[in-house]
Amino acid sequence: MTMKSVLKLRHYLIPRISDVLFGAVLLYTAVFAGMRMLGDGDTGYHVRAGELMLKSGTILHFDPFSYIRPQLPWTAHEWLAEIIMALCHHVAGLPGVVLLFSLVIAVTNLFFFRMLRDRGAGILLSSAVLLLFITAAKVHWLARPHIFSLLFMISWYIALEKLQDGEEIRAWLLPASMVLWVNLHGGYIVGIFLICLYLAGNLSLYFIDHSEWDAMARQRVVILLKILGWSLIAALLNPLGYKIFLFPFQLAMDKTLMDGVQEFLSPNFHEPQMLKYLLFIMVAALVASRRRMPPVHLILILFFLNMALYSVRYTPIFAMVFLPIITRHLDTDDMESYFPRITRFLRRREATVASVDAVARGGLWPVLVTLVVTFFIVSGKISYSFDPAIKPVAALEFLKREHVTGNVFNNDEFGDVTIYMLADRYKVFIDGRLDMYHSAGILKEYFKVTTLQPGWEDILNKHAIGWFFFDTNSVLTRFLQAMPGWKLIYSDKVASIFVRNSPEYQYLIEKYPHVQLAVIDDVKK
């Protein structure tokens, strides 16, 4: 091997900063935080739904998991994501599903970092901004289909920003990718919003900057209209047809869901919410900068800020849109006038890091890390499942042994894990598909029972409820403990099981006569 070949090989062996960031995110999500990625039980029903579709060869149009009759209509509009999840689960169980979404998260962050770099930000600044984005998005790093939407959104955002800057793009790729996006997750609507917002920003130039309108904006509007039209047509290629356009709006405008489900609530600024720190950054940057923000960027920030204030679940997409804009809006000359010593110090460090990064070829280390992690997960050397400290894993093992008969009233999260672990033996009252249950009136009944509103017992009679499977640290559980009509047969710090004090369950009552409600640690309270 010649000296030239050795030097060339060394260039490939030196990891780029983007390689290091990719590897760090992948290792964290797939290995060190693998169990945390399973923090939402919805993963369970997605996997089982995908398995049913693979087995039948058709998309599900009716609910297969609940005992509610008549059978509830439910079209698996995220069918493609669920089938992919089922295939990964077939190969490597839940760790395989986590690896899938860990890779998607790592690629999303890589695209975000490269977007910052391509738009002119230095390596150190891009790395710092990426860490801010990770902090904002990490709370939603879960093995669920919404992760696909983050990847598609950053891809569309990059393309539309390039178009806005006068660069040529392959416009047809956006409608083509919409065919996948609409069948992976309901967040496809964000892509439609993005195009409309760029259209609005460019159309506004007709009124506020006619020279820019004549020079560039008119042409961009034509391209954006074509992208929008073809994207809307592409979005129709889904199991729901045109009804898919109604779904996101029905969800967002539903007060029962928005006010009753924690992830849909507005951010609580009494808690350390990342959104309030992003707002501080925005105000500070706008005050410090002398640059005028383009209308399209102002519209983007205001729209996605409104979404984040409406529901905390939209904070990651606000961060994804806002941080690159505010990074471009920063003027380094302004920064030097405010912080001259710090700015000069960072510039020297930036030059050092950039010189090393420029030598590295990149690409090798992300592939190696992915292959190593995949090997350890597929071979079973890295294994994890739902966390028994927060999920009713032990209680479901009890139910596997006893096989309690009759209809259950369960916690919605417990329903997800029940579907995953014991779908062949138990049907649930409710699970994570809350939009389906709400349209059938079940969600209102669920909230009525859990909050012990007048008439809650009528709902139990209506559905012939024979036993409860609910979280131990709940008002409902403590109430049932004091009711002579219900007997506790199992309790741990996560879940408790009550059966009706009736002849049907007498054998269980006699088998477990002295069960006490588990004591919850103060930390969990």
Side-chain angles (χ1 to χ4, degrees):
M1 185 178 291
T2 64
M3 183 61 67
K4 186 177 181 181
S5 299
V6 172
L7 290 174
K8 189 174 181 180
L9 179 61
R10 285 180 59 189
H11 291 170
Y12 282 102
L13 292 176
I14 299 172
R16 305 193 73 173
I17 297 298
S18 57
D19 296 345
V20 174
L21 293 169
F22 176 93
V25 171
L26 180 60
L27 286 171
Y28 172 77
T29 51
V31 180
F32 301 107
M35 195 171 286
R36 185 190 173 282
M37 289 279 288
L38 297 171
D40 192 319
D42 285 9
T43 305
Y45 88 72
H46 284 303
V47 168
R48 297 307 181 205
E51 290 175 343
L52 287 175
M53 287 185 281
L54 284 172
K55 186 177 180 179
S56 65
T58 59
I59 295 171
L60 296 174
H61 289 284
F62 288 93
D63 160 47
F65 302 122
S66 173
Y67 61 76
I68 302 298
R69 291 294 180 268
Q71 198 173 15
L72 300 178
W74 175 64
T75 298
H77 63 278
E78 297 170 339
W79 66 272
L80 184 56
E82 289 163 343
I83 285 177
I84 295 171
M85 291 170 71
L87 291 171
C88 291
H89 185 272
H90 178 73
V91 174
L94 286 176
V97 179
V98 170
L99 175 60
L100 164 69
F101 289 107
S102 296
L103 283 168
V104 176
I105 290 169
V107 172
T108 300
N109 284 283
L110 180 62
F111 284 5
F112 185 86
F113 179 80
R114 287 182 175 173
M115 179 185 185
L116 296 171
R117 295 285 289 125
D118 291 343
R119 299 299 99 184
I123 291 176
L124 295 181
L125 178 58
S126 297
S127 301
V129 173
L130 175 62
L131 290 176
L132 281 174
F133 172 64
I134 288 173
T135 305
K138 189 162 69 73
V139 67
H140 289 294
W141 283 2
L142 298 163
R144 284 172 44 190
H146 71 275
I147 297 298
F148 286 118
S149 280
L150 294 179
L151 176 59
F152 277 90
M153 181 176 172
I154 190 64
S155 303
W156 280 48
Y157 189 24
I158 290 170
L160 293 172
E161 275 295 283
K162 286 182 178 180
L163 178 65
Q164 191 67 25
D165 289 341
E167 300 179 35
E168 287 190 10
I169 64 169
R170 296 174 180 175
W172 63 270
L173 283 175
L174 274 66
S177 65
M178 176 57 77
V179 177
L180 293 175
W181 194 355
V182 74
N183 290 293
L184 286 166
H185 184 248
Y188 80 92
I189 196 68
V190 177
I192 304 297
F193 288 158
L194 275 174
I195 301 171
C196 293
L197 294 171
Y198 276 90
L199 266 172
N202 282 283
L203 286 170
S204 70
L205 293 172
Y206 178 83
F207 302 99
I208 61 179
D209 190 344
H210 214 77
S211 60
E212 172 65 15
W213 167 259
D214 290 331
M216 296 289 294
R218 186 200 303 269
Q219 183 180 357
R220 287 196 295 262
V221 165
V222 172
I223 296 172
L224 288 167
L225 284 171
K226 290 179 180 178
I227 295 173
L228 178 61
W230 284 111
S231 296
L232 290 171
I233 293 171
L236 291 172
L237 301 176
N238 73 90
L240 287 172
Y242 75 91
K243 293 181 181 178
I244 198 69
F245 295 125
L246 305 177
F247 177 76
F249 299 100
Q250 290 171 341
L251 195 69
M253 297 175 66
D254 195 306
K255 275 189 67 66
T256 303
L257 282 172
M258 290 294 133
D259 296 343
V261 181
Q262 188 170 359
E263 70 171 298
F264 292 134
L265 296 176
S266 298
N268 180 2
F269 289 117
H270 290 279
E271 297 177 356
Q273 292 279 352
M274 189 58 193
L275 180 60
K276 65 182 177 184
Y277 303 117
L278 292 176
L279 293 177
F280 289 151
I281 293 170
M282 181 175 70
V283 172
L286 292 175
V287 170
S289 178
R290 299 189 186 98
R291 292 183 177 181
R292 185 173 67 90
M293 185 174 290
V296 67
H297 286 165
L298 183 61
I299 290 171
L300 284 168
I301 288 178
L302 291 176
F303 180 85
F304 286 104
L305 175 59
N306 177 67
M307 286 183 64
L309 290 171
Y310 182 72
S311 175
V312 70
R313 71 180 305 194
Y314 301 125
T315 298
I317 64 173
F318 168 67
M320 182 182 286
V321 170
F322 160 73
L323 288 171
I325 292 175
I326 216 69
T327 303
R328 293 186 68 178
H329 195 65
L330 287 173
D331 192 322
T332 53
D333 294 333
D334 290 340
M335 296 299 294
E336 188 164 2
S337 65
Y338 287 112
F339 311 104
R341 290 184 179 180
I342 295 175
T343 305
R344 287 195 292 269
F345 172 80
L346 290 176
R347 279 181 176 173
R348 289 195 298 269
R349 295 295 176 270
E350 172 74 25
T352 303
V353 174
S355 64
V356 176
D357 202 64
V359 172
R361 291 291 181 266
L364 176 63
W365 286 102
V367 174
L368 287 177
V369 172
T370 300
L371 289 175
V372 170
V373 174
T374 301
F375 169 77
F376 278 100
I377 285 180
V378 172
S379 64
K381 297 183 185 301
I382 296 176
S383 184
Y384 38 75
S385 187
F386 290 112
D387 187 353
I390 58 174
K391 301 298 180 190
V393 176
L396 285 166
E397 289 297 331
F398 171 86
L399 289 172
K400 186 187 295 186
R401 295 192 305 269
E402 292 297 341
H403 193 68
V404 183
T405 58
N407 291 344
V408 62
F409 184 93
N410 60 275
N411 172 292
D412 63 306
E413 270 283 300
F414 291 7
D416 298 327
V417 188
T418 301
I419 290 168
Y420 175 74
M421 292 182 63
L422 297 174
D424 57 331
R425 300 182 66 174
Y426 291 97
K427 297 290 186 181
V428 300
F429 178 77
I430 197 170
D431 55 73
R433 298 165 298 160
L434 298 182
D435 55 302
M436 178 193 78
Y437 290 106
H438 176 59
S439 60
I442 302 299
L443 187 61
K444 286 185 178 180
E445 294 181 336
Y446 173 77
F447 287 143
K448 192 170 187 178
V449 174
T450 57
T451 54
L452 299 169
Q453 296 176 26
W456 70 277
E457 289 179 299
D458 296 334
I459 294 170
L460 302 186
N461 294 329
K462 172 185 173 182
H463 295 287
I465 302 297
W467 53 290
F468 277 86
F469 180 33
F470 223 74
D471 45 314
T472 300
N473 187 28
S474 66
V475 173
L476 178 60
T477 296
R478 290 192 288 272
F479 183 81
L480 291 172
Q481 185 188 23
M483 293 282 289
W486 297 93
K487 293 296 181 180
L488 183 67
I489 62 168
Y490 176 88
S491 184
D492 61 34
K493 293 182 178 181
V494 178
S496 294
I497 300 172
F498 293 84
V499 295
R500 253 188 212 281
N501 190 1
S502 65
E504 181 183 357
Y505 298 103
Q506 200 60 40
Y507 75 101
L508 287 170
I509 296 170
E510 292 174 358
K511 189 174 181 179
Y512 302 99
H514 304 300
V515 178
Q516 298 294 317
L517 204 63
V519 177
I520 308 298
D521 298 334
D522 290 338
V523 175
K524 287 193 175 182
K525 288 180 181 178

